[in-house]
Amino acid sequence: MAALGGDGLRLLSVSRPERQPESAALGGPGPGLCCWVSVFSCLSLACSYVGSLYVWKSELPRDHPAVIKRRFTSVLVVSSLSPLCVLLWRELTGIQPGTSLLTLMGFRLEGIFPAALLPLLLTMILFLGPLMQLSMDCPCDLADGLKVVLAPRSWARCLTDMRWLRNQVIAPLTEELVFRACMLPMLAPCTGLGPAVFTCPLFFGVAHFHHIFEQLRFRQSSVGSIFLSAAFQFSYTAVFGAYTAFLFIRTGHLIGPVLCHSFCNYMGFPAVCAALEHPQRRPLLAGYALGVGLFLLLLQPLTDPKLYGSLPLCVLLERAGDSEAPLCP
């Protein structure tokens, strides 16, 4: 971010003098100032989201139900107000998206069914190895497993489990809303869609550093282990954030990233070391390799924008003066 206002972060329309961007046409701020406004807005959102977790003073650990309930309240309030930040950004920059705010943030009906199913299918293909590992280690067979999954009592227990609600519902919904649906529309006119895919996850990754303070506070491990764990978490959350940002741009929907986020929270990071020592190591490692290979092969076809209708972020960039944005059809 040291190059803000320089050649690295600029309104894409600067390279197309034959068509002025909306902000210039409306007498808005210049490209450099627009980038500063965009980045400051994203930083404000990230700080507000993380700060909302600590407005409640408590000596209890983060997984205690009382702590989780309080954080639900504050996070939902901040997430509900986050679209106001996009509205303020629009007024300050003078950029007019050409679509409604909800549509720009991925709340739309056009193409919603493929947007819900195909990204989740693609993510499950990537996790083919871990899914095989989970199946091999499960004591019950497939029929019994399906009965448990589909049983109303199982879902009732989940809905009363605060940790399950946090990991599978509240965290995926609020994080994707704030860090993808709100941030990407503000970053894209400044950086372009390609760089935005990798810039947006930095805010997402840094936002997870607050776990360091909780681990240090409750002495959950040595200082070195805590910081090493935090660096690792930042790395994979940034990579995951880039993936869901890609999905959001290519589908124009929020539901796909939310479902993929929930699925990945359930699966956790792939237990590669355990797979290497598994009694059925060979077929398991073959499943890992096959999943990655199929994922790379199907990534573009299953996220083809033609499957999802018009893309709001592409419309936004066209109005900003860039009709040849990458990732757009």
Side-chain angles (χ1 to χ4, degrees):
M1 295 190 298
L4 295 180
D7 293 336
L9 292 176
R10 65 192 188 282
L11 281 175
L12 293 172
S13 54
V14 171
S15 61
R16 297 177 60 83
E18 70 275 7
R19 181 179 178 183
Q20 282 189 322
E22 289 286 335
S23 58
L26 295 173
L33 183 56
C34 285
C35 287
W36 279 109
V37 171
S38 298
V39 173
F40 180 76
S41 299
C42 292
L43 279 174
S44 300
L45 276 177
C47 292
S48 300
Y49 187 91
V50 176
S52 70
L53 302 175
Y54 294 95
V55 296
W56 311 99
K57 292 184 179 181
S58 175
E59 298 299 324
L60 299 172
R62 65 186 294 267
D63 287 335
H64 193 281
V67 175
I68 295 176
K69 288 179 181 179
R70 290 175 179 175
R71 290 184 169 184
F72 278 0
T73 303
S74 54
V75 163
L76 286 172
V77 169
V78 169
S79 301
S80 300
L81 296 176
S82 59
L84 297 178
C85 188
V86 185
L87 284 174
L88 180 61
W89 164 85
R90 187 182 68 181
E91 295 302 318
L92 291 175
T93 59
I95 296 175
Q96 299 300 320
T99 59
S100 69
L101 180 63
L102 289 178
T103 299
L104 187 65
M105 294 172 58
F107 294 95
R108 60 196 187 100
L109 293 177
E110 182 185 15
I112 190 171
F113 291 111
L117 297 176
L118 296 183
L120 181 59
L121 175 62
L122 183 65
T123 308
M124 293 177 71
I125 290 172
L126 176 62
F127 277 78
L128 178 61
L131 285 172
M132 289 176 58
Q133 193 170 349
L134 187 64
S135 175
M136 291 175 180
D137 296 338
C138 183
C140 58
D141 57 24
L142 180 60
D144 292 335
L146 288 175
K147 288 180 181 178
V148 172
V149 170
L150 298 176
R153 289 184 179 180
S154 298
W155 285 100
R157 283 196 298 268
C158 289
L159 293 175
T160 56
D161 184 345
M162 290 297 104
R163 293 183 63 181
W164 186 90
L165 285 173
R166 177 191 64 190
N167 297 335
Q168 311 307 136
V169 180
I170 302 299
L173 178 60
T174 58
E175 289 180 3
E176 293 304 319
L177 173 63
V178 171
F179 292 95
R180 248 65 72 185
C182 289
M183 289 190 183
L184 280 171
M186 294 189 291
L187 287 173
C190 177
T191 65
L193 289 181
V197 167
F198 298 100
T199 305
C200 186
L202 298 180
F203 297 98
F204 181 61
V206 170
H208 285 74
F209 271 124
H210 71 92
H211 295 308
I212 294 178
F213 304 108
E214 293 186 344
Q215 291 174 354
L216 290 173
R217 179 184 175 188
F218 293 100
R219 304 291 182 182
Q220 295 178 352
S221 184
S222 65
V223 175
S225 298
I226 289 173
F227 278 94
L228 185 62
S229 174
F232 179 72
Q233 187 180 35
F234 170 79
S235 301
Y236 77 74
T237 52
V239 171
F240 174 78
Y243 172 58
T244 54
F246 176 84
L247 292 177
F248 181 83
I249 292 171
R250 293 276 288 181
T251 66
H253 282 271
L254 182 62
I255 187 170
V258 170
L259 292 177
C260 292
H261 194 148
S262 180
F263 173 77
C264 290
N265 277 359
Y266 174 78
M267 294 299 297
F269 192 81
V272 180
C273 294
L276 292 172
E277 300 175 356
H278 201 276
Q280 302 184 54
R281 178 177 57 187
R282 290 186 178 180
L284 192 54
L285 293 179
Y288 269 82
L290 180 62
V292 173
L294 288 174
F295 171 80
L296 296 175
L297 185 66
L298 297 173
L299 179 61
Q300 294 291 337
L302 291 185
T303 60
D304 189 339
K306 295 178 182 177
L307 298 170
Y308 309 103
S310 60
L311 303 183
L313 283 181
C314 294
V315 175
L316 170 64
L317 292 187
E318 286 178 3
R319 290 178 63 85
D322 182 39
S323 59
E324 299 177 359
L327 305 181
C328 290

